Amino acid sequence: MYFSTLMHPCLSIVIPLFNEEESLPELVEWIDRVCSAHSYTYEVIMVDDGSTDRSWSVVRQLSQQYPSVRGIRFQRNYGKSPALYMGFRAAEGDVVITMDADLQDSPDEIPELYDMVKGEEGYDLVSGWKKVRYDNALTKNLPSKLYNAVNRSMTGIKLHDMNCGLKAYKRKVIKSIEVYGEMHRFIPVLAKHAGFKKIGEKVVQHRPRKYGTSKFGWERFINGFLDLLTIQFTSRFGKKPMHFFGVLGAFTFLAGFVFVVMLIIDKLRFGADFGLTNKPAFYIALTSMIMGTLFFLSGFVAELVVRNAADRNHYIVEEETN
Ligand code: UDP
Ligand code: MG
C-alpha cells in the first residue's frame, strides 16, 4: 500500500544489492504482494552498491512502477555495510527489515518478523536463523556453524546465525548504531553495545541462489574474525584505551625489570666472570622493557585520538522527565 509523504510508513524494507539485476523484479513483486495482503504502509529502499550490470535501471523502472520503491545508487562498490548504512539513514518506518536481494531470503517472513518487533514481545532486534541452509556445505555451512559458536562465546549473544541478511529492527535501533567497514556481520553486537537488550531469533526459510553468484568468498571468515576482535576491543576500551595499553605495558615492563634485577644480582655475585650479553635473560629484559614502553606510548597516542573523536560525548538517552 502506498503512503502519503506526510505519513510515516509502518515498515521500511532495506535491500543492499550488488549486481542482482535478474532477482529484483521478482523480489519487489513478492514484497508488494505480502505487504499489500497485510495492509502495511511500507517503503522499499534499494541501495545499489555500485552495480556494473543493469541493476540500477531495473531499480529505476521498479520505482516508477511501485511508488513505495525508493532507490539509492553508490558511485562505486563500497560493500554491504555502507549500503546498509545508507539504507538505515533513509529508512522512516517504525519497523525496519533488511533483506538480501538475491531471493535467498523469503518475503513471506516479513509479517511474522514485523509482529515480533511491533507486537507484544516487542523485540528490539530479531535475527533470522537459516536453520536449513541451501549453500555449499563445505565452504559455507560448516565454517559458518563454527564461526557462530565462536561469536556466541565471545559476545555472549545467543544467536545461531548472527550474519543472516534477514533481520528486523525497531526504528530506534538502526538510528542508534552505525554500521561501517564490514560490520554488517555484527549488527546484533553493535545493538547490544548500544544498550538494546531484547534480541530475538526466528527460524526463517532459506532458498538456493536462483540467479547470479555469491559476492563473498572464504575470506569472509578471516575478515569476520578480525572484525570480531576489533568490535570486542573497541566496545570495552574504545573510550579508555589507556586502561588496556597501560595495564599491558606495565606488566610487560615489570617483567623485564624483574629480569634486570636478577641480572644485577648475578653480576654482583659472579663479578667479571659473568658475561652479561651471553645470557638469554639479558635479551628478554631488553625486549620486554622496550615493548612495555611502546605499549604505554600507544596508550597515550590512543587517548589523544579518543580525545579528538567527534563522538566522544555521544550517548543514547532513553528517556527524560521534566
Ligand atoms: N552485496 C552488496 N555489496 C557487496 C556485496 C554484496 O550490496 O559488495 C549484497 C548482495 O547483492 C546481496 C547481499 O549483499 O543482496 C548478500 O550477498 P550474497 O548473497 O552474495 O551473500 P551470501 O548469501 O553468499 O552470504
Ligand atoms: Mg545470498
Side-chain angles (χ1 to χ4, degrees):
M1 188 190 285
Y2 182 52
F3 56 93
S4 93
T5 42
L6 292 173
M7 226 165 82
H8 267 325
C10 61
L11 174 64
S12 298
I13 298 164
V14 174
I15 304 176
L17 61 107
F18 178 54
N19 294 346
E20 309 280 6
E21 57 180 3
E22 301 100 328
S23 325
L24 303 178
E26 206 173 318
L27 180 68
V28 170
E29 193 267 327
W30 192 353
I31 291 176
D32 184 63
R33 194 166 4 110
V34 172
C35 290
S36 300
H38 286 78
S39 319
Y40 293 140
T41 51
Y42 75 99
E43 58 178 0
V44 178
I45 301 172
M46 312 195 89
V47 188
D48 179 353
D49 183 13
S51 295
T52 49
D53 65 355
R54 288 186 52 259
S55 292
W56 180 246
S57 61
V58 177
V59 171
R60 283 184 73 120
Q61 205 182 328
L62 287 167
S63 62
Q64 304 252 306
Q65 201 180 338
Y66 299 87
S68 51
V69 173
R70 299 164 62 189
I72 299 172
R73 183 193 198 183
F74 278 160
Q75 179 75 31
R76 67 164 174 89
N77 177 238
Y78 283 103
K80 190 175 177 183
S81 292
L84 284 174
Y85 170 79
M86 287 305 282
F88 286 163
R89 244 178 58 166
E92 290 173 359
D94 300 328
V95 175
V96 178
I97 292 184
T98 58
M99 185 179 267
D100 287 353
D102 55 0
L103 289 166
Q104 289 200 273
D105 301 326
S106 160
D108 287 338
E109 303 286 352
I110 292 173
E112 274 187 58
L113 285 169
Y114 179 84
D115 288 343
M116 285 174 81
V117 174
K118 193 76 180 177
E120 235 167 64
E121 292 163 300
Y123 283 104
D124 293 319
L125 185 166
V126 181
S127 180
W129 172 13
K130 305 176 288 258
K131 204 166 177 179
V132 182
R133 198 170 169 175
Y134 295 93
D135 282 319
N136 188 304
L138 259 182
T139 57
K140 229 176 209 178
N141 302 0
L142 249 172
S144 163
K145 281 210 168 110
L146 189 83
Y147 177 72
N148 272 296
V150 174
N151 270 349
R152 276 196 297 278
S153 67
M154 278 183 71
T155 64
I157 301 175
K158 303 289 170 226
L159 289 180
H160 290 89
D161 192 3
M162 175 94 70
N163 185 17
C164 184
L166 185 54
K167 287 191 173 63
Y169 310 84
K170 275 198 182 117
R171 178 190 149 86
K172 190 172 178 193
V173 177
I174 55 120
K175 296 292 181 190
S176 306
I177 59 177
E178 198 173 309
V179 194
Y180 69 97
E182 288 192 25
M183 290 298 177
H184 60 268
R185 300 194 176 93
F186 301 103
I187 299 184
V189 185
L190 297 176
K192 187 187 167 194
H193 291 156
F196 297 100
K197 292 175 217 71
K198 273 206 99 172
I199 296 176
E201 183 164 60
K202 178 185 182 304
V203 175
V204 294
Q205 303 165 35
H206 187 237
R207 295 145 37 97
R209 207 182 223 283
K210 199 164 162 187
Y211 309 103
T213 49
S214 171
K215 310 296 181 297
F216 300 99
W218 55 270
E219 16 16 287
R220 70 170 71 202
F221 296 107
I222 298 173
N223 296 342
F225 183 68
L226 295 174
D227 283 343
L228 176 65
L229 295 182
T230 304
I231 209 168
Q232 289 295 89
F233 172 75
T234 49
S235 72
R236 268 187 81 181
F237 300 107
K239 294 250 159 91
K240 41 179 189 189
M242 197 52 171
H243 290 198
F244 174 79
F245 289 106
V247 171
L248 204 61
F251 272 115
T252 327
F253 190 91
L254 271 178
F257 191 72
V258 170
F259 279 100
V260 170
V261 173
M262 277 163 45
L263 285 168
I264 292 174
I265 293 172
D266 283 349
K267 180 81 185 167
L268 291 176
R269 276 172 65 200
F270 302 111
D273 294 339
F274 188 71
L276 192 65
T277 51
N278 287 336
K279 300 282 178 282
F282 174 77
Y283 295 99
I284 296 174
L286 202 65
T287 39
S288 296
M289 287 174 77
I290 293 175
M291 276 172 62
T293 313
L294 289 179
F295 279 134
F296 257 104
L297 288 177
S298 312
F300 285 127
V301 174
E303 286 290 342
L304 289 178
V305 173
V306 171
R307 204 184 148 106
N308 283 295
D311 69 341
R312 66 186 174 278
N313 264 327
H314 173 73
Y315 312 105
I316 305 163
V317 176
E318 188 173 0
E319 273 180 70
E320 276 182 63
T321 172
N322 269 336

